[in-house]
């Protein structure tokens, strides 16, 4: 069956070669950035997904340290590199660039919408940054709820165990948090039903959009159908509650319904995209924090000391508050260093809405632009011993060189969920170090993934109750 699927896939590729060749030939440019396009249809996708950091570093050396062109995920792409590239892109949002989703993400998340960038239109960003959801004045009220949920999740899934896989647990935990604060649901069975489906979608969002049996995208399409149906049911239930006599739950779903300018279908699509974004990246950061802290007992004890000081200032059983989280300076430095060494997302895409010039080259309108954190965050020119895990980098007070540390992006499209992620991760760390000590089962576990990293075996750890 697998051989048949591959044969079909190659047939599809063969039949589209002439179309792609024609499309590429029509894209005349005398001053394009240096680079290449690779194979027809697949371009340089295979080289990219095998080792994206090496792919980019090699081509920066071969072509240009500032910008080069390539082709992956079925797109003609220029990759803008380094802090000057970040500054140029972040400073020219909406002038030269608009948000863009790769074809696989468009097909998975925007199947019912006519505009490819509708999920990220300005009105949606304003909604997310409104006081009703992700602004600090709203998040103040979420901290205690996050603390309570995380305590319950640790008790249910980790307490009493001598070994656990952190990555699957962190994914389940972050989806539970997202379901509570995005959807207003806390039904464990309902959340559990979604976890596996979101894992499948996450695997397929950065792949060639070949809907052929056996491919990651094929499985992602099927999982997206299940998720979309479940979310549509949630929206319908929530809408009935809002229109009924009961008080509506304060969550993003309710905010969208009360806003009244989106259809139920649009709300479902947006929630699906936001859940993926707020689920996988937060879970990845939690996972690699546990990895690096597990390797460094000195870091563990510094975090523990900070968190115990916070706990000792509170009454027994009292939940965390916004002010408590603001005191977690060292823990946040650890998180920042984890995101520097292993960014939760390699980078993001834009689309050129005009011809633009950069570093002496011209990029045509319609081309896709990709910026990546690894051209600065793991570059020895900006970070001494870049592969060394050293949270003290973020405790020195002078800050990082401009446009070199960009895990949340920058400019007007900086990730609106940054503060939500910070609260969730720090609340998790607070509870984890208070309850457990841990060591890595496999210290040399391989890190997989192209756009989103993941530990090959789920990051198994030996757990020890702290009070033993």
């Amino acid at each position: 069956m697998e051989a048949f699927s591959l044969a079909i896939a190659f047939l599809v590729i063969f039949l589209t070669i002439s179309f792609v060749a024609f499309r590429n030939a029509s894209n005349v440019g005398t001053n394009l950035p240096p680079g290449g396009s690779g194979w027809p249809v697949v371009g340089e996708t295979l080289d990219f997904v095998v080792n994206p950091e090496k792919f980019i570093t090699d081509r920066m050396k071969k072509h240009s340290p500032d910008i080069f062109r390539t082709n992956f995920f079925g797109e003609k792409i220029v990759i803008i590199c380094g802090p000057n590239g970040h500054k140029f892109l972040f400073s020219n949002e909406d002038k030269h660039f608009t948000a863009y989703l790769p074809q696989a993400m468009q097909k998975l998340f925007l199947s019912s919408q006519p505009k490819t960038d509708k999920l990220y239109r300005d009105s949606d960003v304003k909604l997310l940054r409104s006081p009703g959801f992700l602004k600090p004045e709203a998040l103040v009220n979420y901290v205690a709820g996050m603390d309570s949920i995380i305590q319950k999740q640790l008790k249910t899934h980790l307490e009493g165990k001598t070994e656990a896989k952190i990555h699957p647990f962190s994914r389940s935990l972050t989806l539970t948090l997202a379901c509570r604060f995005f959807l207003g649901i806390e039904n464990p069975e309902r959340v559990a039903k979604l976890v596996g489906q979101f894992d499948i979608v996450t695997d397929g969002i950065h792949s060639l959009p070949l809907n052929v049996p056996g491919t990651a995208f094929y499985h992602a399409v099927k999982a997206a159908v299940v998720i979309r149906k479940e979310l549509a049911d949630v929206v319908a239930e929530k809408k009935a509650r809002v229109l009924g006599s009961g008080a509506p739950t304060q969550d993003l779903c309710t905010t969208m319904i009360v806003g009244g300018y989106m259809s139920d279908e649009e709300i479902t699509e947006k929630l699906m995209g936001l859940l993926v974004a707020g689920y996988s990246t937060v879970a990845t950061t939690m996972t690699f924090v546990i990895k690096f802290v597990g390797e460094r007992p000195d870091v563990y004890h510094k975090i523990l000391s900070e968190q115990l000081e916070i706990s000792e200032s509170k009454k027994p059983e009292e939940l965390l508050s916004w002010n408590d989280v603001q005191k977690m300076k060292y823990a946040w430095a650890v998180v920042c260093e984890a995101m520097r060494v292993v960014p939760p997302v390699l980078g993001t895409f834009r689309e050129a809405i005009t011809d633009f010039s950069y570093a002496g080259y011209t990029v045509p309108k319609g081309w896709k632009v990709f910026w990546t954190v690894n051209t600065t965050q793991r570059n020895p020119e900006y970070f001494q011993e870049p592969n060394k895990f050293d949270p003290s980098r973020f405790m020195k007070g002078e800050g990082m060189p401009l446009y070199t540390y960009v895990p949340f992006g920058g400019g007007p499209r900086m990730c609106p969920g940054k503060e939500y992620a910070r609260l969730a991760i720090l609340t998790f760390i607070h509870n984890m170090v208070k309850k457990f000590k841990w060591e890595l089962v496999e210290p040399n576990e391989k890190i997989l993934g192209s756009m989103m990293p993941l530990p090959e075996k789920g990051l198994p750890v030996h757990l020890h109750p702290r009070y033993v």
Side-chain angles (χ1 to χ4, degrees):
M1 183 65 185
E2 184 177 352
F4 175 75
S5 299
L6 289 174
I8 294 295
F10 281 114
L11 177 61
V12 172
I13 291 172
F14 176 79
L15 292 175
T16 56
I17 284 176
S18 59
F19 167 74
V20 173
F22 172 80
R23 185 180 65 175
N24 287 343
S26 67
N27 197 17
V28 179
T30 57
N31 195 32
L32 291 174
S37 299
W39 294 92
V41 180
V42 297
E44 296 185 299
T45 302
L46 297 180
D47 288 341
F48 177 77
V49 299
V50 167
N51 191 330
E53 186 171 359
K54 184 177 186 299
F55 174 91
I56 292 169
T57 300
D58 287 351
R59 282 154 181 77
M60 287 175 67
K61 292 177 182 177
K62 180 180 180 180
H63 301 305
S64 166
D66 301 308
I67 186 172
F68 63 89
R69 60 185 168 89
T70 181
N71 183 310
F72 55 76
F73 299 144
E75 301 285 3
K76 290 174 290 187
I77 294 169
V78 293
I79 296 183
I80 292 182
C81 311
N84 290 333
H86 294 161
K87 180 180 179 180
F88 176 79
L89 191 146
F90 299 154
S91 301
N92 287 282
E93 297 278 22
D94 301 323
K95 178 181 178 182
H96 294 313
F97 309 107
T98 188
Y100 179 76
L101 297 178
Q103 292 180 28
M105 296 180 73
Q106 290 180 33
K107 293 177 184 297
L108 288 171
F109 299 139
L110 305 174
S111 59
S112 62
Q113 299 191 34
K115 288 179 64 178
T116 60
D117 64 343
K118 192 172 184 180
L119 185 64
Y120 294 104
R121 64 189 180 186
D122 289 343
S123 59
D124 297 335
V125 174
K126 290 177 182 177
L127 169 68
L128 289 173
R129 290 177 174 154
S130 69
F133 188 60
L134 291 181
K135 275 197 171 181
E137 50 263 44
L139 292 172
V140 165
N141 301 315
Y142 297 168
V143 179
M146 284 186 174
D147 190 16
S148 177
I149 290 171
I150 290 170
Q151 288 186 36
K152 292 176 184 176
Q153 291 290 306
L154 289 174
K155 184 174 183 178
T156 301
H157 299 288
L158 297 189
E159 282 190 16
K161 291 188 175 182
T162 58
E163 187 173 310
K165 291 187 176 182
I166 295 300
H167 194 231
F169 170 74
S170 66
R171 284 189 160 189
S172 176
L173 171 62
T174 53
L175 189 59
T176 299
L177 292 172
C179 284
R180 167 60 185 86
F181 296 106
F182 290 14
L183 306 180
I185 63 172
E186 297 185 52
N187 185 328
E189 293 180 359
R190 202 165 196 176
V191 174
K193 178 181 177 182
L194 292 173
V195 170
Q197 304 300 330
F198 271 106
D199 285 346
I200 295 170
V201 168
T202 300
D203 289 340
I205 58 178
H206 295 295
S207 64
L208 284 171
L210 295 174
N211 195 9
V212 177
T215 64
F217 183 74
Y218 174 83
H219 294 299
V221 169
K222 288 188 170 297
V225 171
V226 176
I227 294 171
R228 191 172 283 110
K229 171 63 170 62
E230 187 67 22
L231 293 181
D233 290 344
V234 171
V235 171
E237 293 167 14
K238 194 62 61 73
K239 192 169 187 178
R241 191 179 308 168
V242 169
L243 297 176
S245 57
T249 306
Q250 292 306 304
D251 52 70
L252 181 59
C253 181
T254 301
T255 302
M256 290 178 171
I257 291 170
V258 172
Y261 71 92
M262 287 181 284
S263 67
D264 291 0
E265 190 176 46
E266 287 178 304
I267 294 172
T268 297
E269 297 292 343
K270 287 174 176 57
L271 288 172
M272 183 174 171
L274 291 167
L275 282 168
V276 169
Y279 152 72
S280 57
T281 55
V282 174
T284 297
T285 301
M286 288 178 176
T287 299
F288 284 100
V289 166
I290 295 300
K291 170 182 166 58
F292 291 123
V293 173
E295 295 171 339
R296 294 281 300 276
D298 59 321
V299 172
Y300 171 85
H301 287 295
K302 287 180 182 179
I303 298 176
L304 178 62
S305 176
E306 179 182 72
Q307 301 309 311
L308 289 180
E309 185 176 342
I310 292 169
S311 291
E312 289 164 2
S313 68
K314 303 179 71 64
K315 298 175 183 178
E317 308 301 322
E318 183 182 358
L319 295 170
L320 289 173
S321 69
W322 175 267
N323 289 335
D324 294 327
V325 175
Q326 309 318 306
K327 297 174 185 176
M328 300 180 187
K329 306 293 186 185
Y330 184 73
W332 183 240
V334 171
V335 175
C336 290
E337 179 69 346
M339 289 190 292
R340 185 195 67 79
V341 178
V342 183
V345 176
L346 180 66
T348 57
F349 290 88
R350 300 288 188 270
E351 182 175 352
I353 54 177
T354 64
D355 292 355
F356 71 88
S357 296
Y358 178 71
Y361 301 102
T362 299
V363 177
K365 175 182 177 180
W367 275 48
K368 308 309 179 286
V369 178
F370 184 71
W371 68 271
T372 168
V373 297
N374 280 346
T375 62
T376 56
Q377 290 188 184
R378 292 170 59 88
N379 190 324
E381 183 177 348
Y382 312 113
F383 294 93
Q384 188 176 8
E385 297 182 271
N387 295 322
K388 180 181 178 181
F389 183 77
D390 181 10
S392 68
R393 302 177 201 269
F394 293 89
M395 297 292 288
K396 296 175 181 178
E398 64 265 25
M400 300 295 111
L402 287 176
Y403 299 104
T404 60
Y405 181 71
V406 287
F408 295 103
R413 286 196 174 89
M414 177 179 283
C415 175
K418 174 184 177 181
E419 199 63 26
Y420 170 86
R422 187 176 78 93
L423 292 181
I425 296 165
L426 288 176
T427 305
F428 166 69
I429 292 172
H430 172 83
N431 285 286
M432 191 72 182
V433 298
K434 282 173 55 183
K435 286 184 175 294
F436 302 105
K437 295 181 290 186
W438 61 90
E439 301 95 31
L440 305 185
V441 173
E442 300 195 26
N444 298 317
E445 183 178 2
K446 188 177 180 181
I447 297 175
L448 305 176
S450 54
M451 294 293 289
M452 294 180 179
L454 69 155
E456 183 179 26
K457 298 182 180 179
L459 196 70
V461 298
H462 295 298
L463 288 174
H464 309 283
R466 198 173 63 82
Y467 293 109
V468 173

